[in-house]
Amino acid sequence: MENQTLLTIEDLSVQFVSAGIRTTALSGLSLTAKEGEILAVVGASGAGKSLLAHAVLGLLPKNAQVTGRMTYKGQVLNEKTLPRLRGKEITLIPQSVTYLDPLMPVGRQVYYPMNKQEGRAKTAALFEEYGLSPEVMKKYPFELSGGMTRRVLFSAAVLSGAKLLLADEPTPGLSRETARHVLRHLRAFAKEGRAVLLITHDLDLAVECADRVAVLYAGTLLETAPACDFAADGAALRHPYSQSLWNALPQNGFHPVTGNMPSPGERVESCPFAPRCPKKTALCREKPVPLRPLRGGTVRCIHAT
Amino acid sequence: MEEGERVGLIGPSGCGKSTLAKVLSGMLCPQAGEVRLDEKPLPKKGYRPVQLIFQHPEQAVDPKWRMEQILNEGYFPDRDLLNALGIEKEWLIRYPRELSGGELQRFCIARALGPKTRFLLCDEISTMLDPITQAQLWELLLHCSEKRGMGLLVITHNRALAERVCTRIVKFEDLNGKGEETHAKK
């Protein structure tokens, strides 16, 4: 059965202009997210993961210039359509717990877009499902632990009824068991026919819970792969960076790669991983590498087979 | 902890691991009991021989200082160490917000590795890093630990990481006077 594609991103680029200097933060990114699927977006901090989510929601700062095309159910996402979709069809589970209003009880923050009576009942039911006691409704954000706050943010996302969920780093600081619990909730969302974009730097958790994994590096999408390709020594993966990332995990060899990811100001048009890549040749530095389909995924590497 | 020993400390969130680290480094005073280094209480003045590195580097640096000033506050790390940590020269004139979490964490490690550091307490220091940056940082820390006989206390949720870098793993709940679980790696 073919599930409907909810989100399509084609050739998305984001540039920031500050004091006359233009820096490219995301370049030529193409992705799709389907109903019923969890798509993980992984990469180092500064690779552009959160920026991607904010671009989809149209929440970038004013000095950002966006090019490319994004559609939701075939409808182009722009400043006209987004205000209608945001929070209703597409919603964000934010990274930071500071996204809650410190001066409003958390229960009301979950249901305030709704009719009070109905909203309160639904919120109470959701809180119960997430193991939050009814008293939590009346508490203020500062009275909750990190894990409780995360469950409140999840409740708000579910209650909105959105079909596309963008979860920005929902697991850091949580123990393995709590993190798995959070990811089970994401799986439940997907089973109900929603699409989940899971943004994370935690590769082993992403691989454990997602259907597909997109690998970002220095603002560039280097590979999308079925999650099951992240296995054994990573030979099924398409890009050398994805393989390095996988083999750097403590349980997979703990192999570091020397050098640093280029920062936005020093990015080049050719392969951004070339300076650190074990498979680089002179060709890698010559011109931009296009993203191409390969073995049920996509890759941006001239050597990938 | 023995000299140069690398101990992993694991336990559920909220059990007191970070508080213990603060007590061991001398940042917090215990209401009862004592922390001793070479059978003597921790020094109250001067360089702290037990250094603590936190999970969130952006909360451990002054946002209004340039990186150079942050780096040299306690001592002057030499260029070899900075190279080994992958700290690039042009980063020194930047402010903390102009660096990524992984880049900032390297500065926090560099400034804790003064010549008088005997023990390094690492409180979830690589949790917010990607696997490659994590492996880079630990390679360097293990090298320093071996070269100088510097002990490491590694607080982490990541069992695979603890097994990789530690010589012994301790469960926090076993610290209340009971025995210790040991997993010798090397």
Side-chain angles (χ1 to χ4, degrees):
Chain A
M1 189 186 73
E2 188 63 14
N3 284 331
Q4 196 196 348
T5 300
L6 286 182
L7 176 72
T8 307
I9 302 173
E10 289 166 60
D11 207 23
L12 173 74
S13 293
V14 176
Q15 297 187 317
F16 288 101
V17 183
S18 169
I21 299 167
R22 182 182 293 265
T23 52
T24 303
L26 276 181
S27 65
L29 190 143
S30 299
L31 269 183
T32 57
K34 292 193 190 80
E35 282 180 344
E37 120 177 307
I38 301 179
L39 170 65
V41 178
V42 302
S45 80
K49 305 187 300 285
S50 297
L51 206 62
L52 169 65
H54 289 183
V56 171
L57 287 160
L59 295 178
L60 294 172
K62 282 209 177 77
N63 65 337
Q65 292 186 348
V66 183
T67 56
R69 203 175 122 95
M70 292 184 282
T71 59
Y72 173 78
K73 290 186 181 170
Q75 192 176 163
V76 176
L77 295 178
N78 55 29
E79 52 291 5
K80 280 208 191 93
T81 55
L82 269 168
R84 271 190 292 115
L85 298 170
R86 206 160 41 208
K88 299 183 185 74
E89 289 283 318
I90 308 174
T91 198
L92 175 75
I93 302 176
Q95 172 172 16
S96 163
V97 290
T98 58
Y99 279 65
L100 286 172
D101 183 339
L103 300 177
M104 197 196 275
V106 293
R108 223 167 91 212
Q109 297 195 49
V110 172
Y111 66 73
Y112 81 91
M114 301 180 72
N115 162 308
K116 196 170 175 183
Q117 230 173 358
E118 189 196 350
R120 197 182 278 165
K122 283 191 171 167
T123 307
L126 272 174
F127 273 25
E128 198 185 331
E129 202 185 313
Y130 285 137
L132 296 168
S133 64
E135 301 90 76
V136 176
M137 297 263 285
K138 294 199 190 77
K139 288 198 191 291
Y140 288 88
F142 79 92
E143 298 176 284
L144 307 185
S145 75
M148 289 163 89
T149 311
R150 238 168 246 297
R151 283 177 275 170
V152 169
L153 292 169
F154 266 75
S155 309
V158 176
L159 200 67
S160 73
K163 289 275 281 177
L164 173 62
L165 283 165
L166 311 174
D168 194 358
E169 298 278 11
T171 56
L174 302 180
S175 70
R176 248 2 188 201
E177 292 86 90
T178 323
R180 288 214 172 94
H181 196 74
V182 165
L183 296 179
R184 270 201 294 277
H185 288 313
L186 291 182
R187 179 49 71 190
F189 291 155
K191 278 214 177 108
E192 290 162 11
R194 298 176 224 244
V196 179
L197 206 69
L198 167 66
I199 291 168
T200 181
H201 66 272
D202 198 333
L203 182 61
D204 38 359
L205 275 177
V207 167
E208 201 178 303
C209 113
D211 300 293
R212 287 188 301 138
V213 178
V215 181
L216 272 182
Y217 182 79
T220 313
L221 178 70
L222 295 184
E223 170 167 1
T224 50
C228 57
D229 285 356
F230 288 86
D233 62 351
L237 293 167
R238 293 151 193 78
H239 200 285
Y241 175 66
S242 319
Q243 290 170 346
S244 302
L245 207 57
W246 179 244
N247 290 319
L249 284 172
Q251 63 273 34
N252 302 346
F254 213 38
H255 299 299
V257 181
T258 48
N260 295 308
M261 185 174 79
S263 57
E266 49 194 44
R267 285 182 190 164
V268 287
E269 290 289 298
S270 54
C271 176
F273 188 59
R276 305 169 71 185
C277 184
K279 293 183 183 156
K280 66 166 174 281
T281 58
L283 267 175
C284 301
R285 305 263 214 152
E286 257 174 28
K287 51 180 187 228
V289 184
L291 194 67
R292 60 183 164 107
L294 182 70
R295 291 188 277 116
T298 59
V299 67
R300 200 188 285 276
C301 173
I302 51 173
H303 301 299
T305 50
Chain B
M1 281 177 71
E2 303 285 331
E3 194 173 72
E5 195 181 18
R6 305 190 300 270
V7 179
L9 179 60
I10 56 177
S13 27
C15 73
K17 303 187 296 292
S18 297
T19 306
L20 176 69
K22 285 180 184 167
V23 171
L24 293 182
S25 66
M27 261 185 82
L28 287 179
C29 283
Q31 281 164 308
E34 200 182 11
V35 181
R36 286 193 300 266
L37 181 68
D38 299 330
E39 291 310 312
K40 289 189 288 265
L42 291 173
K44 292 223 161 56
K45 278 195 273 186
Y47 194 87
R48 305 273 183 160
V50 182
Q51 288 279 323
L52 175 57
I53 304 174
F54 295 91
Q55 178 179 355
H56 299 288
E58 60 280 5
Q59 291 167 15
V61 295
D62 190 324
K64 293 185 174 173
W65 283 17
R66 288 188 190 270
M67 294 318 300
E68 187 158 29
Q69 203 179 352
I70 292 169
L71 184 67
N72 297 326
E73 192 185 5
Y75 79 112
F76 292 91
D78 58 40
R79 195 61 236 176
D80 287 346
L81 177 67
L82 302 189
N83 287 342
L85 273 166
I87 293 178
E88 296 180 16
K89 249 201 181 111
E90 54 268 41
W91 296 354
L92 295 177
I93 54 162
R94 294 195 195 168
Y95 288 101
R97 65 182 151 79
E98 297 169 322
L99 292 170
S100 73
E103 289 160 2
L104 269 183
Q105 193 65 296
R106 293 164 203 224
F107 281 91
C108 293
I109 292 172
R111 68 174 178 179
L113 286 177
K116 292 185 210 146
T117 301
R118 303 274 308 279
F119 286 92
L120 202 58
L121 313 176
C122 307
D123 189 0
E124 296 278 11
I125 62 165
S126 57
T127 308
M128 70 315 163
L129 303 178
D130 65 282
I132 292 178
T133 314
Q134 168 170 273
Q136 277 179 333
L137 291 186
W138 284 108
E139 184 185 48
L140 180 96
L141 284 172
L142 294 184
H143 176 74
C144 274
S145 159
E146 261 159 38
K147 202 171 85 184
R148 304 181 181 189
M150 178 181 73
L152 297 178
L153 183 73
V154 181
I155 298 177
T156 180
H157 284 305
N158 189 338
R159 181 107 207 178
L161 175 69
E163 283 172 5
R164 218 13 121 166
V165 300
C166 299
T167 47
R168 174 160 69 107
I169 296 177
V170 178
K171 279 189 184 164
F172 191 86
E173 63 255 40
D174 293 337
L175 290 180
N176 299 325
K178 283 192 279 168
E180 291 176 355
E181 182 207 7
T182 53
H183 275 259
K185 176 88 194 168
K186 280 185 186 168

